[in-house]
Amino acid sequence: MSKDRVLIFDTTLRDGEQCPGASMTLEEKLQVAELLDEMGVDIIEAGFPIASNGDFESVSEIAKRVKRATVCGLARAGQKDIDRAGEAVRHAKNPRIHTFISTSPVHMKYKLQMEPEKVLEMVTQSVARARNLVPDVEWSAEDGTRTEHDFLCRVVEAAIKAGATTINIPDTVGYTVPEEYRALFEMLRNRVPNADKAIFSVHCHNDLGMAVANSLAGLQGGARQIECTLNGIGERAGNAALEEAVMAIKTRGDVLNFETGIDTTMLMRASKLVSAVTSFPVQYNKAIVGRNAFAHESGIHQDGMLKNNQTYEIMTPESVGVSKTSLVMGKHSGRHAFREKLKELGYELGENALEDVFRRFKDLADRKKHVYDEDIEALVDEGLHTEEDRIKLVALTVIAGTQGPQLATLTLDVDGVHRTVQSSGNGPVDATFAAIKALLPHEAKLELYQVHAVTEGTDAQAEVSVRLGEEGSSVTARAADPDTLAASARAYLSALNKLMQRAARGGHERRLHSTAPLGGV
Ligand code: KIV
Ligand code: ZN
């Protein structure tokens, strides 16, 4: 029997980015958007253009860059929002405006302070205005699952009449259960005139841990678009996880008669990219992309797996991009083998980037007996060390232990000049960061400091993420090193370099300032 095609609408860059601490830079958003496009996502919700100039710019850049997918911008029901969204997606091959308004009694009364009849009027006006700008318009009934059915039928009918091509019924607060959500779509498709003129969409939040189950139930009720995010990031408990919904459809094709256009072998790579750029770790036991998702620890399970992998595996690791193989890398590995390894891990780097990562790999292989795939991924995720970097770590010596005070002696190369300082702090990391601040006084605030071990063992690399915030925006940088303090210093310096490069691009060279010899830093 032929399967029904379900559209994958990814909102990692909008609903995902909206959650506290997940903000991404323009470059990072472009990287994610390009990967989503390559992976086969049908619609990329790139942002909320009216929210800020930065959001507008990223939606508009993504619209220009994406080759295949529809690019969508979010808008409230007001004219300014809709026009701004239309402007941002103007250059997309396939542009979409997604406009929404709340329809539940509690949202209309307290949030909008509007009578239902006024809301109904705004639905018609907003959709019609968006349709004047683009042929593809999605309309959402915010808090749809807590909306009275008669009113929901009226607003959906009005949206379709005004030209909406997709109707989304969000479970904004993660309140529904599968049977109820499925019945809601069945009810709408039965009762609303011309319901067959639009594609119905699910959008589920995970407050009760049912976002994916509810999304699949919505499909069984007649929806044909799933709104989701990589790693399930999003407001509060997050959104339905793209990788889970897609793999459930693929693995249980016997009971879910659907298919998607996603190349599932790219899921792991996409998950890692989103985790790296947001610094949101993926929980170890996360379905599909967690590091333990395909690990078999107990003797009984291992024995079964050795006899036949179907004993304990319902999908293969390869199907989601976890490679079992492994070219083992060490200090004798050459450039060619290294390039092959990167390919196996899903990275295609340009010549400069390859040279830079290869040099750091050699350095690591000299210091560490076994270099695992995860070590190489951490080196790539650290990003390119470029000529643009004005600050470089020359030397760091830290005295730590129970006899305090902890002391860091740091030498930096700033624009080719070496400078050294010694600072104390409340612990070795604090002393190291204090030394950086002593050499490079700045006002950027440390918003995130996170460390995780890349692999097991006491010689594992520490991957450190640092986020610095300045004047309402922030940058995140990472560094990996078997020495946690060296990784911490390099991550902090990399964030400072990024802030300076951003300031230089924006034409305000002096956003970070320092003592005279540093000139312009
Ligand atoms: O959760 C929600 O209701 C939303 C809408 C803006 C679609 O994200
Ligand atoms: Zn949402």
Side-chain angles (χ1 to χ4, degrees), residues 334-406:
R335 209 178 255 91
H336 179 68
F338 187 67
R339 191 197 296 270
E340 286 307 305
K341 166 58 77 183
L342 287 178
K343 257 199 209 145
E344 187 186 300
L345 296 173
Y347 297 105
E348 297 242 6
L349 303 185
E351 275 314 308
N352 286 349
L354 182 76
E355 268 316 301
D356 177 54
V357 182
F358 183 63
R359 187 185 45 72
R360 286 187 281 131
F361 156 71
K362 282 289 196 184
D363 196 33
L364 179 66
D366 271 341
R367 298 158 67 201
K368 192 169 183 286
K369 199 163 161 208
H370 300 290
V371 178
Y372 299 101
D373 290 358
E374 290 88 342
D375 288 315
I376 296 174
E377 284 165 349
L379 292 180
V380 179
D381 290 343
E382 186 170 328
L384 200 55
H385 293 233
T386 69
E387 291 301 311
E388 271 188 277
D389 290 351
R390 294 173 58 188
I391 319 166
K392 296 181 187 77
L393 176 66
V394 177
L396 173 69
T397 308
V398 181
I399 299 173
T402 53
Q403 300 305 310
Q406 286 77 24

Side-chain angles (χ1 to χ4, degrees), residues 88-154:
V89 296
R90 194 159 61 98
H91 296 292
K93 237 181 178 167
N94 305 300
R96 173 181 291 190
I97 296 177
H98 174 192
T99 180
F100 71 99
I101 193 166
S102 293
T103 52
S104 66
V106 64
H107 274 221
M108 290 192 291
K109 182 167 178 192
Y110 296 105
K111 183 181 131 174
L112 298 178
Q113 298 181 336
M114 260 182 214
E115 291 302 319
E117 292 310 312
K118 178 69 188 161
V119 170
L120 189 60
E121 198 184 304
M122 298 228 6
V123 172
T124 301
Q125 281 170 4
S126 55
V127 173
R129 191 167 185 99
R131 259 316 283 264
N132 270 337
L133 302 173
V134 290
D136 182 351
V137 173
E138 171 169 337
W139 178 76
S140 286
E142 191 184 359
D143 206 15
T145 50
R146 293 193 298 169
T147 297
E148 288 168 353
H149 285 193
D150 287 350
F151 187 62
L152 191 59
C153 287
R154 287 177 70 205

Side-chain angles (χ1 to χ4, degrees), residues 14-15 18 74 98 100 140-143 168 170-173 203 205 227 239:
R14 198 279 297 170
D15 224 347
Q18 219 164 291
L74 184 70
H98 174 192
F100 71 99
S140 286
E142 191 184 359
D143 206 15
N168 181 37
D171 184 28
T172 304
V173 290
H203 177 115
H205 283 267
E227 305 200 356
N239 290 57

Side-chain angles (χ1 to χ4, degrees), residues 44-90:
I44 298 173
E45 186 161 56
F48 190 8
I50 195 93
S52 69
N53 288 340
D55 253 58
F56 177 88
E57 195 196 343
S58 48
V59 176
S60 143
E61 275 307 309
I62 290 169
K64 288 178 199 153
R65 203 73 80 86
V66 161
K67 294 197 181 79
R68 205 195 48 79
T70 294
V71 177
C72 171
L74 184 70
R76 287 167 300 191
Q79 297 183 357
K80 278 193 188 147
D81 273 52
I82 291 169
D83 293 352
R84 193 86 173 129
E87 176 68 18
V89 296
R90 194 159 61 98

